Amino acid sequence: MTSKEIKDLSQDQLKEQIAQERERLLRLKFAHAISPIENPLRIRASRKEIARLLTELSAKSNQQ
């Protein structure tokens, strides 16, 4: 997701996206623990995406 797409999301949509990303990160970590995944940088990208979403969520909640 681009930063513009993230900024256009509502708080409920942000919470849904955060939950989906956390689930994806959990599955990636389990897959990597069992056998190394092809691209371990996907774990880092997923963590960064969660951080972006959380940052935008806190910015939106501080505005109100």
Side-chain angles (χ1 to χ4, degrees):
M1 279 186 126
T2 63
S3 61
K4 173 140 177 54
E5 291 172 340
I6 292 174
K7 288 181 190 284
D8 291 340
L9 295 175
S10 70
Q11 285 188 352
D12 292 333
Q13 291 171 327
L14 283 170
K15 289 177 184 177
E16 284 180 31
Q17 285 294 111
I18 291 168
Q20 288 175 359
E21 275 299 319
R22 284 185 172 160
E23 181 67 30
R24 184 177 303 142
L25 178 61
L26 187 64
R27 281 185 276 137
L28 280 172
K29 283 183 177 181
F30 282 142
H32 189 63
I34 294 170
S35 65
I37 57 177
E38 280 183 29
N39 189 359
L41 295 179
R42 288 180 10 202
I43 294 173
R44 184 186 308 169
S46 186
R47 281 198 323 255
K48 286 186 176 186
E49 184 69 22
I50 292 169
R52 284 186 197 102
L53 291 167
L54 286 171
T55 301
E56 186 61 31
L57 181 62
S58 68
K60 284 186 187 262
S61 65
N62 286 340
Q63 284 179 350
Q64 293 177 356

